Amino acid sequence: MSAPLPTAEFAGLPTAALSDAMDRLALPAACQGVRPLAPGQRLLGRAFTVRYVATGRPPGTVGDFVDDVPPGDVVVIDNGGREDCTVWGDILTAVASQRGIAGTVIDGVCRDVHRARDIGYPVYSRGWFMRTGKDRVTVSDVGTPVSVAGIRVRAGDLLVGDDDGVVVVPVEVEQEVLAIAREIEDREGAILAAALAGSSLRDARAAQGYHQLQRAGRPHPDEEER
């Protein structure tokens, strides 16, 4: 497995370019239905994974895993997409923010959303709902692979979030994804510059191979002309 890149390499790259880059590699990445809690938030960090399951008898607990999350990591919670009970609230938000945790991604819902919005802590979830997860769900695993909206997330995988949502970049393809995403951003920037300078959009896109940028196995646009 390739060594992880510094997360700062991905700073400023939009999820759209990263999603297109993953499409070119024919790999799933986009966590459909998982949205930012507030506009303008940005999330970047490595996954600290937590899985919840329905509680039994006697009931378990919702866990104190936040004590074990390294600064800069993203808490990734798999609650099976449940929207009937929460697994993240204001205490976790305040503690995570104070300890330098980079954000939280939930396949499920959160509550006490005013806290996260007030302090600017990034939360991505399927929504918010006030009912507690206590005595309804319990932590079953920490640090094992989980699923968020059908996308597999392993501890240490890269999470990137912006206004468009969240993408997951597996550590072993980070270098390829970074290179492709930068190329896509450069080519789309060239398209926009040309169009605003007077070129037709059709010609500007054709010059950069726009309609194939995300296509798996696509040749480089310069090679298409040979």
Side-chain angles (χ1 to χ4, degrees):
M1 181 179 292
S2 302
L5 294 172
T7 57
E9 294 282 349
F10 289 83
L13 280 173
T15 57
L18 294 167
S19 177
D20 287 357
M22 290 288 284
D23 276 351
R24 193 187 297 183
L25 298 176
L27 294 172
C31 298
Q32 184 175 359
V34 177
R35 300 180 176 88
L37 185 62
Q41 67 182 37
R42 175 85 181 174
L43 175 145
L44 176 63
R46 300 206 172 275
F48 181 97
T49 59
V50 181
R51 185 193 307 277
Y52 280 88
V53 296
T55 197
R57 289 289 180 267
T61 75
V62 291
D64 300 309
F65 57 83
V66 74
D67 289 333
D68 303 317
V69 183
D73 274 12
V74 172
V75 178
V76 180
I77 298 177
D78 178 356
N79 195 27
R82 288 183 64 164
E83 298 183 8
D84 64 325
C85 63
T86 185
V87 290
W88 190 271
D90 63 340
I91 294 174
L92 286 170
T93 292
V95 171
S97 178
Q98 191 272 335
R99 295 183 182 178
I101 295 171
T104 300
V105 175
I106 309 168
D107 195 359
V109 295
C110 60
R111 71 177 185 179
D112 304 318
V113 299
H114 66 280
R115 175 81 69 179
R117 288 172 173 162
D118 286 349
I119 66 177
Y121 180 80
V123 177
Y124 289 75
S125 69
R126 291 189 176 274
W128 44 92
F129 188 52
M130 85 298 295
R131 189 162 68 179
T132 183
K134 290 183 288 186
D135 294 342
R136 294 186 172 92
V137 293
T138 185
V139 172
S140 67
D141 299 284
V142 174
T144 61
V146 298
S147 176
V148 176
I151 304 299
R152 187 170 186 255
V153 186
R154 300 161 306 171
D157 283 343
L158 187 69
L159 278 291
V160 183
D162 59 18
D163 282 338
D164 290 338
V166 176
V167 295
V168 181
V169 181
V171 64
E172 65 269 20
V173 296
E174 282 180 11
Q175 294 188 19
E176 285 182 274
V177 170
L178 180 63
I180 295 169
R182 284 173 171 170
E183 177 205 335
I184 289 170
E185 279 290 277
D186 288 346
R187 290 187 177 278
E188 291 194 346
I191 290 167
L192 181 59
L196 294 180
S199 170
S200 70
L201 183 59
R202 180 181 296 105
D203 288 346
R205 283 177 163 178
Q208 298 296 332
Y210 172 79
H211 293 291
Q212 294 80 38
L213 286 177
Q214 78 298 334
R215 190 166 297 167
R218 70 177 285 276
H220 190 283
D222 293 343
E223 295 175 352
E224 293 172 356
E225 300 173 359
R226 296 174 188 170

